[in-house]
Amino acid sequence: RAKGQPDNRIAFFEQSMADEAYRKLVLEEDLRHALNNDELLLYYQPIVDCVTGRVSGFEALLRWNSPQLGMVSPLQFIRLAEETGLIIPIGLWVLQEGCAFLARLYRAGYVDMLLSVNVSIIQLLQSDFVESMWAIVRDAGIPPEHIAFEITEGLLMETFEANSEKLRLLRQRGMKIHLDDFGTGYSSLKYLQNLPVDLVKIDKSFIDELEGNEHTVPLVDSIIALVHRLGLQTVAEGVETGLQHSRLACFGCDRIQGYLISRPMPEEQVLPFLKEYKPRQDNSST
Ligand code: C2E
Ligand code: MG
Ligand code: MG
Ligand code: MG
């Protein structure tokens, strides 16, 4: 055995690659099954207007309620869904389900909510992306102005030319484009002036630092001012404290989203939440 015996480390490496490949295969099968067996669901996180204090809309966030794995975070399966192409049918389902949710809100009397839906670059790359998204919104009878697509900045940049035209077409039909996780990854101010977007979501990593890092305060202040000067709006994501909220309000941030307002919730909690929600007072001391 001595001659052909593999190096232990290589053997281990090969084994762990095989494990990884196997784990992926199982997960892929499970995910495919999940889509066909109603194991996917959307949670909704409210977004609040800083001026009026009212709920202006919700972001739809995907969850996988797996009988084997329990509640699985999108961070654990979106990439796999992208690699396998499953994100295409999943993305269509997310928009359909989100539109149906918005229609139910309408019937309950909430007629001016904006629903934000995350869109993967893989979806955006499909040649029929614009038509398939538009068909879902139209068939749902939702005013297109009440749907926003969240696109993550970093990925968009790489294939900017091809995709900006698609985003423009969606905007022409009334739908909104929001730039997600702004300031992370490949962030480039140069692109911001040309991108067909309506709103910029300032990444949670900046909001986290608003209390700890002295340089972050003027930085976030300036980002908001800059985005406004480009004629776009701002949402701060991941707002957890009253101090973050009051600083952001002070800088003129348009809307906030985060655990301070509410965690993402299942649909059955949305109407009770809307009925009970009271705009927060300015409490910079908390
Ligand atoms: P994202 O679009 O940036 O969504 C915001 C994430 O921050 C959500 O995580 C939300 O639960 C979390 N969050 C919001 N406020 C707070 C806060 O105050 N504190 C903390 N610690 N977290 C907060 P989630 O739901 O785990 O989603 C993670 C990411 O998965 C999303 O980031 C998005 O990129 C992706 N994702 C979620 N749903 C979909 C989907 O339907 N399609 C696609 N393509 N991606 C999705
Ligand atoms: Mg998002
Ligand atoms: Mg985000
Ligand atoms: Mg983020």
Side-chain angles (χ1 to χ4, degrees), residues 258-284:
Y259 293 176
L260 177 70
I261 308 296
S262 166
R263 288 180 179 250
M265 62 186 106
E267 177 169 350
E268 62 265 26
Q269 291 174 19
V270 168
L271 284 181
F273 171 84
L274 284 171
K275 288 196 184 99
E276 281 159 31
Y277 184 74
K278 300 271 185 302
R280 292 178 56 87
Q281 302 304 307
D282 182 75
N283 43 7
S284 26

Side-chain angles (χ1 to χ4, degrees), residues 13-78:
F13 184 60
E14 284 174 347
Q15 185 53 46
S16 63
M17 278 204 315
D19 287 350
E20 172 67 14
Y22 179 72
R23 201 186 57 85
K24 257 191 174 171
L25 205 68
V26 171
L27 206 60
E28 179 184 347
E29 251 341 287
D30 284 358
L31 191 55
R32 208 177 288 279
H33 182 84
L35 180 62
N36 300 323
N37 288 272
D38 295 331
E39 290 172 20
L40 296 184
L41 65 160
L42 294 180
Y43 272 27
Y44 300 96
Q45 187 177 31
I47 298 172
V48 162
D49 186 299
C50 288
V51 175
T52 65
R54 290 170 186 237
V55 178
S56 62
F58 291 85
E59 178 175 3
L61 294 158
L62 192 56
R63 296 290 180 271
W64 175 12
N65 191 8
S66 158
Q68 289 87 31
L69 306 167
M71 201 62 95
V72 188
S73 149
L75 298 173
Q76 291 174 267
F77 66 87
I78 290 287

Side-chain angles (χ1 to χ4, degrees), residues 95-96 98-100 102-103 107 134-143 147:
L95 185 59
Q96 251 152 16
C99 286
L102 200 59
R107 289 198 286 276
W134 168 238
I136 290 171
V137 174
R138 187 197 53 208
D139 292 352
I142 302 289
I147 295 290

Side-chain angles (χ1 to χ4, degrees), residues 146-165:
H146 292 186
I147 295 290
F149 296 109
E150 293 195 1
I151 315 278
T152 300
E153 178 202 27
L155 295 168
L156 186 65
M157 295 307 153
E158 290 175 4
T159 43
F160 165 63
E161 290 292 357
N163 297 308
S164 60
E165 185 50 32

